[in-house]
């Protein structure tokens, strides 16, 4: 099986869009109301620590992806079982991300079009990209990321120029203190998007010039987090927290306020483009992670499973929830505790502990061999 390689700029583009992903569709930290920006700053600080942890975990087993790390820490039979669990987890979350975009299109952009139609169109694109491989996905992200970043900044400028930003919406600051903010930060604003970076351990072994990847990852996470902070501020300043909480897609609602000189209006398409790019990259990375798990389990190239699994995901995307409310409740209430915390943090922490023990034993064995050689040599 040929190993695919991606450049550092492509890695940066992938991480940037992965962080933005479906997060920008739903909004981040809005439950904290006028203190949403403080929640995001706290989450950013903790998110950098989480990112460093995943980088450190990958450095303990250089050249290995997540599933090969399972075998390094345990044994192949256990690694196969864990790979199967993570394959289901990655495929499931790929379904959820595609469903986010499908709900956006079905309820706001094409209300007369069944959600199945928009879902199938996106799934066909995802299937083609995944069959072509990681390099094609990385190049796609690299080409379109500058446009998505520019469009988000332009949206903020347009809202400011149209006098749609009311800075009284973020006052009073810390009305009830820091304590209520922690219930917003943990667990949901930690597992999304920072804990989700675990899936990137699947592709880190494909990065050329890997010694520079640590800085690129940190800068990309920082830049994307700052953009999410600006987006959250933009939503609260333009809509106010009451309307933002009631809106299913607050960023799109904010974009519809833009009206400059009765000429520049209805820039929904720009926002939908940004959302679609992030959704496309993030869902592709999750599904790619699941495919690499199958590749490890069956020792067949991931392309062998790409089209069948994408078809199955396309079906399950419309079956995982009865409606948008059910979809959101599942994502916000049960998933963080039942799935994200154990799989994003629990097992990785155990793996790092085991790898450190292995490195310590290996180091001691090497010292003992050198000592014996010195004694016998003298």
């Amino acid at each position: 099986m040929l190993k695919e390689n991606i450049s550092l700029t492509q890695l940066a583009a992938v991480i940037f869009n992965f962080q933005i992903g479906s997060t920008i569709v739903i909004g981040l930290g809005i439950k904290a109301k006028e203190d949403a920006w403080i929640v995001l700053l706290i989450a950013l600080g903790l998110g950098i620590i989480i990112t460093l942890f995943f980088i450190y975990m990958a450095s303990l087993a250089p050249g290995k992806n997540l599933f090969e790390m399972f075998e390094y820490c345990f044994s192949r039979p256990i690694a196969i079982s864990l790979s199967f669990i993570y394959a289901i987890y990655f495929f499931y979350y790929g379904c959820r991300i595609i469903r986010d975009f499908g709900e956006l299109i079905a309820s706001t952009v094409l209300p007369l079009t069944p959600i199945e139609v928009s879902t199938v169109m996106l799934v066909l694109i995802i299937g083609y990209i995944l069959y072509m491989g990681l390099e094609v996905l990385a190049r796609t992200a690299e080409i379109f990321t500058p446009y998505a970043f520019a469009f988000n900044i332009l949206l903020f400028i347009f809202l400011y120029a149209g006098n749609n930003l009311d800075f009284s919406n973020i006052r009073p600051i810390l009305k009830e203190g820091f304590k209520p903010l922690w219930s917003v930060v943990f667990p949901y604003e930690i597992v999304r998007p920072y804990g989700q970076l675990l899936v990137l351990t699947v592709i880190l072994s494909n990065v050329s010039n890997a010694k520079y990847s640590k800085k690129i990852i940190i800068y990309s996470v920082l830049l994307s987090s700052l953009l999410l902070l600006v987006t959250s501020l933009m939503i609260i300043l333009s809509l106010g927290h009451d309307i933002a909480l009631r809106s299913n897609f607050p960023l799109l609602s904010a974009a519809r306020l833009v009206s400059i000189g009765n000429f520049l209006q209805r820039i929904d398409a720009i926002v939908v483009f940004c959302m679609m790019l992030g959704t496309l990259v993030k869902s592709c990375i999750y599904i790619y992670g699941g495919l690499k798990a199958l590749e490890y389990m069956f020792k067949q190239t991931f392309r062998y499973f790409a089209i069948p699994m994408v078809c199955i995901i396309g079906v399950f995307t419309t079956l995982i929830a009865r409606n948008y409310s059910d979809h959101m409740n599942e994502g916000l209430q049960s998933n963080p505790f039942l799935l994200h915390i154990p799989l994003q943090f629990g097992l990785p922490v155990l793996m790092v502990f085991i790898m450190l023990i292995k490195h310590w034993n290996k180091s001691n064995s090497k010292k003992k061999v050198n000592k014996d050689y010195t004694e016998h040599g003298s």
Side-chain angles (χ1 to χ4, degrees):
M1 289 176 282
L2 294 175
K3 184 176 180 180
E4 298 178 291
N5 290 312
I6 60 175
S7 66
L8 292 175
T9 54
Q10 290 170 345
L11 175 66
V14 167
I15 293 175
F16 179 84
N17 285 285
F18 183 87
Q19 284 283 96
I20 299 297
S22 58
T23 306
I24 203 171
V25 178
I26 301 168
L28 198 64
I30 296 175
K31 284 189 176 181
K33 300 180 180 179
E34 61 270 3
D35 292 328
W37 63 279
I38 301 177
V39 164
L40 294 189
L41 284 176
I42 296 172
L44 171 58
L46 295 174
I48 294 297
I49 296 174
I50 293 169
T51 304
L52 290 171
F53 170 77
F54 289 140
I55 293 172
Y56 180 66
M57 183 176 77
S59 70
L60 291 175
K64 298 182 184 295
N65 62 31
L66 178 64
F67 314 109
E68 293 165 339
M69 291 182 204
F70 290 155
E71 184 172 345
Y72 178 74
C73 292
F74 308 105
S75 61
R76 181 162 173 81
I78 295 175
I80 289 175
S81 301
L82 292 174
S83 298
F84 178 71
I85 293 171
Y86 274 83
I88 294 174
Y89 174 56
F90 290 158
F91 287 140
Y92 165 71
Y93 220 77
C95 287
R96 290 195 57 83
I97 295 165
I98 296 171
R99 180 62 180 263
D100 287 339
F101 184 75
E103 291 286 354
L104 169 69
I105 297 296
S107 61
T108 60
V109 182
L110 300 172
L112 300 180
T113 303
I115 188 174
E116 291 82 4
V117 175
S118 54
T119 297
V120 167
M121 296 301 293
L122 183 60
V123 164
L124 288 174
I125 297 172
I126 291 172
Y128 176 75
I129 291 174
L130 288 173
Y131 183 79
M132 297 303 293
L134 180 63
E135 292 179 359
V136 172
L137 172 61
R139 284 198 297 268
T140 302
E142 185 182 27
I143 291 169
F144 289 107
T145 296
Y147 299 104
F149 184 80
F151 287 158
N152 277 286
I153 299 301
L154 281 174
L155 177 59
F156 184 85
I157 294 172
F158 290 155
L159 286 170
Y160 181 78
N163 296 318
N164 292 305
L165 301 181
D166 183 1
F167 285 86
S168 65
N169 287 335
I170 59 171
R171 295 194 294 266
I173 297 174
L174 294 175
K175 180 181 179 181
E176 300 177 8
F178 276 103
K179 189 174 180 180
L181 301 186
W182 288 109
S183 61
V184 182
V185 173
F186 184 84
Y188 199 67
E189 305 304 345
I190 295 300
V191 299
R192 182 197 69 149
Y194 301 106
Q196 295 174 346
L197 288 170
L198 171 69
V199 73
L200 293 178
T201 57
V202 177
I203 69 170
L204 288 181
S205 59
N206 298 96
V207 179
S208 57
N209 297 323
K211 62 180 180 179
Y212 300 110
S213 61
K214 179 179 177 180
K215 290 183 178 179
I216 294 297
I217 293 170
I218 295 298
Y219 291 151
S220 301
V221 169
L222 186 60
L223 182 61
S224 57
S225 299
L226 291 176
L227 182 61
L228 288 173
L229 173 61
V230 170
T231 301
S232 184
L233 265 175
M234 186 165 52
I235 291 169
I236 298 297
L237 291 174
S238 59
L239 299 178
H241 60 79
D242 289 330
I243 298 175
L245 284 170
R246 291 197 298 268
S247 175
N248 288 336
F249 307 104
L251 182 60
L252 192 62
S253 299
R256 287 176 170 170
L257 297 176
V258 172
S259 179
I260 301 177
N262 293 321
F263 172 72
L264 187 61
Q265 297 176 327
R266 303 294 296 180
I267 60 171
D268 306 23
I270 292 178
V271 176
V272 171
F273 168 79
C274 298
M275 293 176 175
M276 181 176 180
L277 180 62
T279 300
L280 180 70
V281 173
K282 190 167 187 175
S283 57
C284 279
I285 291 295
Y286 263 111
I287 298 171
Y288 180 79
L291 293 175
K292 292 296 284 186
L294 296 180
E295 179 182 84
Y296 171 78
M297 292 164 60
F298 298 104
K299 296 185 177 181
Q300 292 279 351
T301 177
F302 70 90
R303 288 183 174 86
Y304 183 81
F305 307 99
I307 301 302
M309 286 310 306
V310 165
C311 292
I312 294 171
I313 287 168
V315 174
F316 272 92
T317 295
T318 57
L319 297 178
I320 56 173
R322 290 171 293 180
N323 50 49
Y324 184 73
S325 177
D326 186 38
H327 172 65
M328 292 304 297
N329 287 336
E330 184 178 321
L332 293 172
Q333 296 178 12
S334 59
N335 286 352
F337 297 98
L338 296 179
L339 293 178
H340 300 324
I341 292 177
L343 295 179
Q344 292 178 1
F345 302 112
L347 185 59
V349 168
L350 176 62
M351 289 170 60
V352 168
F353 180 70
I354 292 172
M355 284 191 280
L356 286 174
I357 292 176
K358 283 180 174 288
H359 279 269
W360 184 74
N361 289 336
K362 188 176 180 180
S363 176
N364 282 351
S365 298
K366 187 179 290 187
K367 287 179 181 178
K368 185 177 180 181
V369 169
N370 291 337
K371 184 179 179 181
D372 292 342
Y373 178 79
T374 303
E375 290 176 352
H376 288 297
S378 58

